[in-house]
Amino acid sequence: MEWTGARYADKPSVEVRTWIEAPADRVWSIVSDIGRMPEMSAELQSVEWLDGATGPAVGRKFVGYNKHDSFGEWSTTSEVVEYEPERVFAWAVGDPADPSAVWRFRLQPKDGGTELTEWMQMGPGRSGLSAAIDRMPDKEQKIVFVRMREFERNITETLAQIKKMAESPSPRSA
């Protein structure tokens, strides 16, 4: 990731894409199962659906429990904001009208496999990063850049793990 000088209010985003030698339904079974995401994340520790939900659909909510060396431990409630099986799965962290982040997986059949894209947008709603920016407003651009670079690295690793799972002869069933 190259320096952009973005501020939090700019709603910076990052997108990483990979091609997976597996059909979209197999890739979908992994990305749409939020219970599997902690297996692929150093930060996300566990997740649980709320209000009796057992899977994704627009409007359904889940809690994610996170841990980071610099930020400690915290939880967030997310709401599914886009859901089209084998195509797109997205959620807003916090209030969907003013989220602290938005995350999206997009699948596209391509070349006999699946192109998988993971995208995230920081802000505009307040997050744990907001407190650091409040304490050091003169370092806002650097704080945002470092966190976005970290997100890019983590997304790249997540996609590599999804690719490995989807391409394995017998991936764990969803």
Side-chain angles (χ1 to χ4, degrees):
M1 170 171 281
E2 294 190 26
W3 174 261
T4 64
R7 295 184 180 280
Y8 194 87
D10 296 332
K11 300 187 292 187
S13 65
V14 62
E15 180 176 272
V16 181
R17 153 178 313 143
T18 191
W19 182 82
I20 300 174
E21 191 174 343
D25 64 334
R26 185 178 301 172
V27 176
W28 180 256
S29 72
I30 298 167
V31 301
S32 65
D33 181 356
I34 65 165
R36 296 184 82 175
M37 289 301 122
E39 297 174 37
M40 299 174 256
S41 174
E43 197 166 300
L44 182 63
Q45 302 298 298
S46 65
V47 294
E48 62 184 85
W49 287 107
L50 296 175
D51 305 321
T54 58
V58 171
R60 290 191 178 161
K61 296 179 181 181
F62 61 91
V63 175
Y65 299 92
N66 302 278
K67 185 177 182 180
H68 188 282
D69 289 342
S70 298
F71 304 121
E73 295 183 23
W74 72 98
S75 65
T76 58
T77 299
S78 296
E79 183 173 326
V80 177
V81 293
E82 286 182 82
Y83 181 77
E84 186 181 336
E86 297 183 24
R87 305 285 296 163
V88 65
F89 176 36
W91 59 95
V93 181
D95 178 358
D98 191 32
S100 61
V102 178
W103 293 83
R104 179 181 299 119
F105 284 109
R106 189 172 301 279
L107 291 74
Q108 176 71 41
K110 184 176 182 180
D111 300 329
T114 304
E115 182 177 77
L116 176 62
T117 304
E118 187 174 359
W119 172 91
M120 78 79 57
Q121 171 191 290
M122 180 187 291
R126 290 185 61 82
S127 71
L129 203 60
S130 301
I133 293 167
D134 290 347
R135 285 191 308 275
M136 300 175 283
D138 56 317
K139 295 185 170 145
E140 177 179 6
Q141 291 169 300
K142 183 175 182 180
I143 291 167
V144 168
F145 175 72
V146 168
R147 187 64 168 145
M148 293 304 293
R149 190 172 57 191
E150 188 173 51
F151 282 137
E152 182 180 52
R153 208 172 31 250
N154 293 345
I155 290 170
T156 299
E157 177 59 28
T158 296
L159 292 183
Q161 290 187 46
I162 292 169
K163 178 178 175 70
K164 183 178 177 182
M165 287 180 196
E167 290 179 348
S168 71
S170 56
R172 186 177 104 190
S173 59

